[in-house]
Amino acid sequence: MPVGRASPNRGRRGRREESSAGRPGARARRTGTAAKTKVRKPGRQSTARPRTKANRARASTAGAFQLSSTRRAAVLATVVCAMALSISVPLRTYLSQQAELDEQRQRQEQLLREVEQLEQRKRELNDPAHVEAEARERLGYVRPGETPYIVELPDTSPEAPERPRPAAGDVPWYEELWNSLLGKES
């Protein structure tokens, strides 16, 4: 008998069909029809054992809740899905908070480095010699009695020399048209 399914003839005492595999009622289950109780002919003895509690317990392997293996698998899948859903939201929150915490730690380290640099700059600006050197360099200050000299060097950038442009009347009409299409001024 399949796990968790009761035969319509349960409780009736009668002869069960024997299949070629030796299992009772296998042909009836395969065809989808219920096993029918046959009328006993006189002189023949029944080979079926009467159903008792022990026989029923041996025939049924469905467990404590009398569920078939398919139903047990469905219940197990439902429980696993429910657990996964109940864990997923807090887990996602935890992971996002961990990422945010890492970002804040990096930001804190960056700010601490910046504070250290600013404190160093503050110490430098407390030194009058350093302030004077910066004033001379950046602002061009000089002490009274000193003569400042400013040396300007020619521009040494490697740019191409600029070509002289022809006058508006010296350019042919087709070149003017092409330059207007390209957006160049003539």
Side-chain angles (χ1 to χ4, degrees):
M1 182 175 289
V3 177
R5 290 193 182 174
S7 155
N9 295 334
R10 191 173 205 182
R12 293 184 191 167
R13 293 184 185 200
R15 199 172 141 179
R16 290 183 269 172
E17 292 182 10
E18 294 284 320
S19 70
S20 61
R23 292 190 327 239
R27 188 176 340 130
R29 279 194 303 276
R30 266 191 251 123
T31 60
T33 59
K36 297 180 182 178
T37 307
K38 292 191 176 185
V39 179
R40 290 186 201 165
K41 293 184 181 178
R44 285 187 140 183
Q45 290 185 352
S46 172
T47 58
R49 292 178 287 180
R51 289 197 174 230
T52 62
K53 283 187 177 182
N55 286 345
R56 272 190 252 136
R58 231 181 288 131
S60 173
T61 58
F65 297 110
Q66 298 293 321
L67 296 175
S68 68
S69 61
T70 306
R71 288 183 182 165
R72 277 186 276 174
V75 169
L76 180 65
T78 304
V79 169
V80 168
C81 288
M83 288 177 62
L85 289 175
S86 65
I87 291 173
S88 66
V89 174
L91 181 63
R92 185 182 67 193
T93 304
Y94 172 76
L95 293 176
S96 67
Q97 286 176 348
Q98 285 297 318
E100 186 177 335
L101 185 62
D102 290 341
E103 285 178 26
Q104 292 299 326
R105 284 183 182 148
Q106 289 175 353
R107 178 77 176 135
Q108 182 182 14
E109 289 173 6
Q110 178 186 1
L111 290 174
L112 287 174
R113 285 192 302 268
E114 194 174 316
V115 165
E116 193 174 305
Q117 290 172 353
L118 290 173
E119 287 176 350
Q120 177 67 27
R121 179 79 174 139
K122 181 181 174 184
R123 284 191 298 273
E124 289 173 356
L125 291 177
N126 283 336
D127 182 20
H130 190 274
V131 172
E132 182 181 344
E134 266 198 43
R136 287 174 174 268
E137 183 182 323
R138 289 179 30 187
L139 302 174
Y141 283 4
V142 292
R143 287 184 177 247
E146 293 181 345
T147 307
Y149 292 101
I150 299 175
V151 178
E152 291 186 22
L153 299 172
D155 189 22
T156 59
S157 62
E159 292 181 13
E162 196 171 311
R163 295 188 311 177
R165 291 188 180 172
D170 295 344
V171 179
W173 66 270
Y174 54 85
E175 209 169 301
E176 281 184 31
L177 177 64
W178 184 253
N179 288 339
S180 68
L181 289 175
L182 294 178
K184 294 181 181 178
E185 293 181 18
S186 56

